[in-house]
Structures are given as C-alpha cells and as structure tokens.
Amino acid sequence: MNEDEIKEINDLLSSPKNIVIVPHRNPDGDAIGASLAVYQYLINKGHHAMVVSPNDYPEFLHWLPNSKEVFKYDMQNRQSQAAIDEASILFLLDFNALNRVGDDMQHKLETFVGKVIMIDHHQQPDDFADYLYSDISICSTCQMVYHFIEKLDDLALINKDIATCLYTGIMTDTGSFRFPSTTSTTHRIIANLIDNGANNSKIYNNVYDTNSYGRLQLLGRALSNLVVIDKLKTAYIPLSQADLDEFNFQKGDTEGVVNYALSLKGIIFAVIFIEDTDQEIIKISLRSKGKFSVNKFAREHFNGGGHDNAAGGKSFVSLDSTISNFLRILPDYKKELLNSYEE
Ligand code: 5GP
Ligand code: MN
C-alpha cells in the first residue's frame, strides 16, 4: 500500500462508518485474532464494527477478547446479511481469494458495493479489493494488522485486547515463533504487544494447554496411522471419519497434527488427509521444510493453496483414492524433495 492509499484510508476512517470484518472460512488463530484486533481498533476509533465469520472456529480460540461479538454467517445468516448490506467498508483478513469464505458468503460479498480493504500474507492475491495490503514475506496477518495500524499512525490505540488478539495470531501462525518467517521485526512487535498488556504465558496456555482427553487420544491414533516414505523424505497421516467419531472429534482437534509428521528427522514434506463425510471431501493439510513449495503442490493437485511451507487443499474422491493419487504423483517430485532442505 502506498502513501496515497494510506491517506485515502485515513480519510475513509476519519468519520464514523458501518464496517464489517471478514476472516476466511474455518478461521484459525491468525484470521480470528486479526479480525478481533481490527474490530477493537475500529471501535476505539468510533466506528460501528462487526466481525462476520463464515462459520465457527475452534473452542481454544473462544476465550479471545470480544469473541462473543462474532457473528457466524452460516448460523446467524439473516443478521450477517443485514450487517453486510448496511456496511460501507469491508475488511477481508487472512485470505486473498473470495472462494475462501465458502459459496454462500462468496455470493453475498460479490454484491458488496462499498470499499474493500484486504490484508493478507498468502501468495497470488485475487483482484477484488479497492485497497490491497499483501505481503507474502510477513509471518502472519496479525503482524500486518500491526503494521497497518502503524501506517495510520494509531499505535497509541493498541490496548490490552488488541495486543492479546495480535499476539495470539502471530504466535499461532509462526508455530510459536519458530518458523523461518519469524523475524527480528516480529520479535520487536511482540515485545510492544507484551508492553501493551498481552500476557504471553496465559495466551500460550489458553491456546495450547486446553486439550480434551479425546483430542489427545485422536492424536495417538493419528501418530499410529503415520506412514513414512524415507526415500522421498515424505510422511503422511490418514484420518478416517471413523477415527474422528471414535474420539468425539471437535472442530480444531486435528489442528497442528501434521507438524508431528514434519518433526521426524529427515522428513521435509508432511501431509494429513482428513475424511469429512458430511462435506463429502478429504481435507488436506500440507507442510514442508526448505524450498519444496506445498502451495504449488496443493494448487496443482488438490484444489488448494497457501504458503510455500504451509498449505491446504481438498479432494473429492474417497480417502483411499486420494492417498493412491498422492502416492502416484509423489515420485514426480523426487528431485525437488531430495534437494529441498539441507540439515
Ligand atoms: P491448514 O492446513 O492449516 O488448513 O492451512 C495452511 C495454510 O494454507 C493456511 O495459511 C491456510 O489459509 C491455507 N489454506 C488452507 N486451505 C486452503 C485452500 O483450500 N485454498 C487456499 N488457497 N489456501 C488454503
Ligand atoms: Mn495467516
């Protein structure tokens, strides 16, 4: 975003507006953290703001400040549609292609006539927003929201709630500050957020130390389902609907599980295949180390995308067929897989 655009946004936000904030479907810590931070920021500036999420998010994010104020488009459809109708500004956060909100909400957003501001760190953004702040080098949308507030010269408005939401999104999207996208700038921002009231230890506990017994049992099943293909530096985990049902699966229970496959010594490509009989899809999460781009792999083969080292996708055939397809494609990438990462 250039100086002129910042000035235009400053002008837009200089008088009270109705504003709707939208994260992607199945929002993660970064998407919902960014949305609630922008929500609180806009309220502090005197606007009428609402977060409208396409659907619900995991229980381990429900403690976030103002989480109760979030509307779910699928469950509170009438109110959500009315809010979008009445809004003159739309913030789209942590996604860059309109189909990431799901069909129903996508159709609604396509009819929106006001100004659209998109803040996102994924690759290859669509041309939908009036103001696009896109930077694939930044670890999280929450860090970008911090920079956005800084560009608008409003850092003084960052209170404890905003700091808490931004900290949460940066922590979750960086794997607790360990991914290569974590920079010294990230740590400086984190320091400022702690100074503004974010309680780092409490936030970690709220997100990561609130597992249910079923979730840990499901993790056990996932680990025993793990398949390792040493010669292609690849590991994958199939999880069937029966596995999920056996351990009373709740939204969010499989989040992060794919990272266990990537934690194996010598493995640089990890995938989890999760059967969803309700939606009739196999949800796929892909992770890599080094140069091997799972964004590219997910785009080319599994109707998805994301970042170079973390992407998602889906398949519309059975779990077994999905894995057979995967195993058939995989050897084509042998050279890239073997040359991706030096220990
Ligand atoms: P996850 O595997 O945790 O669902 O997603 C990993 C990353 O890929 C996240 O940044 C997420 O936003 C992105 N992602 C997940 N699923 C999709 C998808 O279907 N399409 C695209 N373009 N990105 C996705
Ligand atoms: Mn993100």
Side-chain angles (χ1 to χ4, degrees):
M1 250 179 341
N2 60 35
E3 291 296 316
D4 288 345
E5 289 176 309
I6 298 291
K7 195 179 168 310
E8 283 175 36
I9 292 174
N10 244 328
D11 289 347
L12 265 181
L13 297 179
S14 65
S15 58
K17 299 273 165 36
N18 279 329
I19 304 176
V20 164
I21 303 152
V22 179
H24 56 76
R25 192 177 154 78
N26 296 324
D28 56 6
D30 189 32
I32 205 69
S35 298
L36 285 169
V38 170
Y39 167 83
Q40 187 64 57
Y41 166 67
L42 293 171
I43 300 273
N44 291 358
K45 274 177 91 74
H47 298 284
H48 180 268
M50 272 179 68
V51 179
V52 179
S53 174
N55 61 350
D56 201 2
Y57 40 93
E59 182 70 26
F60 62 77
L61 296 168
H62 281 188
W63 62 273
L64 280 167
N66 295 307
S67 178
K68 283 195 289 297
E69 308 299 322
V70 176
F71 279 74
K72 321 292 177 332
Y73 190 86
D74 59 350
M75 302 300 287
Q76 292 148 298
N77 194 262
R78 200 174 42 79
Q79 298 99 310
S80 300
Q81 297 215 30
I84 294 166
D85 287 336
E86 284 161 25
S88 60
I89 301 175
L90 198 56
F91 275 84
L92 306 181
L93 301 178
D94 200 37
F95 66 100
N96 64 21
L98 223 42
N99 62 12
R100 296 276 286 124
V101 299
D103 287 349
D104 283 359
M105 195 167 177
Q106 175 174 356
H107 294 139
K108 182 70 192 169
L109 294 184
E110 276 164 356
T111 66
F112 184 75
V113 290
K115 294 288 183 195
V116 177
I117 301 173
M118 178 181 269
I119 304 178
D120 178 69
H121 64 138
H122 295 91
Q123 304 196 348
Q124 292 150 279
D126 273 4
D127 182 22
F128 178 73
D130 298 283
Y131 300 100
L132 174 65
Y133 177 25
S134 164
D135 189 334
I136 63 165
S137 73
I138 298 183
C139 65
S140 56
T141 298
C142 278
Q143 180 170 326
M144 298 179 71
V145 167
Y146 184 95
H147 292 310
F148 178 79
I149 294 174
E150 191 174 30
K151 285 174 205 283
L152 296 180
D153 208 13
D154 274 338
L155 284 184
L157 294 182
I158 295 190
N159 59 14
K160 181 176 177 167
D161 284 353
I162 297 177
T164 300
C165 292
L166 294 180
Y167 186 102
T168 301
I170 297 174
M171 178 185 79
T172 53
D173 253 28
T174 56
S176 303
F177 318 109
R178 76 183 191 277
F179 296 153
S181 54
T182 311
T183 62
S184 57
T185 302
T186 309
H187 282 288
R188 272 184 214 103
I189 290 171
I190 284 296
N192 290 345
L193 295 176
I194 292 173
D195 287 344
N196 281 297
N199 183 328
N200 49 313
S201 178
K202 216 170 178 173
I203 292 172
Y204 186 95
N205 274 298
N206 286 347
V207 173
Y208 293 117
D209 293 338
T210 49
N211 287 317
S212 65
Y213 183 69
R215 186 178 184 190
L216 287 191
Q217 295 288 104
L218 180 62
L219 172 62
R221 173 63 53 83
L223 295 180
S224 60
N225 288 355
L226 176 69
V227 179
V228 180
I229 310 169
D230 277 322
K231 63 179 192 303
L232 294 173
K233 300 195 173 199
T234 298
Y236 69 91
I237 298 171
L239 268 183
S240 67
Q241 185 71 57
D243 288 327
L244 303 181
D245 292 346
E246 191 177 334
F247 301 112
N248 186 27
F249 169 78
Q250 305 291 312
K251 202 178 194 59
D253 280 357
T254 54
E255 215 146 294
V257 174
V258 65
N259 293 313
Y260 286 92
L262 196 66
S263 75
L264 277 164
K265 189 171 166 63
I267 294 303
I268 69 101
F269 183 30
V271 188
I272 188 167
F273 300 94
I274 304 167
E275 186 176 33
D276 181 339
T277 49
D278 267 0
Q279 287 196 71
E280 300 184 342
I281 60 165
I282 308 299
K283 166 82 183 98
I284 305 170
S285 283
L286 310 94
R287 302 289 186 270
S288 68
K289 282 189 178 155
K291 297 194 292 273
F292 182 69
S293 172
V294 288
N295 169 54
K296 184 165 159 272
F297 191 90
R299 275 175 199 271
E300 284 175 356
H301 304 291
F302 290 112
N303 310 291
H307 310 284
D308 280 341
N309 294 131
K314 46 191 169 303
S315 155
F316 304 99
V317 295
S318 70
L319 183 58
D320 286 346
S321 304
T322 302
I323 292 173
S324 307
N325 292 342
F326 171 71
L327 294 175
R328 207 180 43 250
I329 298 160
L330 199 60
D332 296 344
Y333 292 86
K334 184 169 181 177
K335 223 162 129 190
E336 287 173 55
L337 289 165
L338 298 186
N339 296 323
S340 176
Y341 183 76
E342 280 177 32
E343 306 271 331

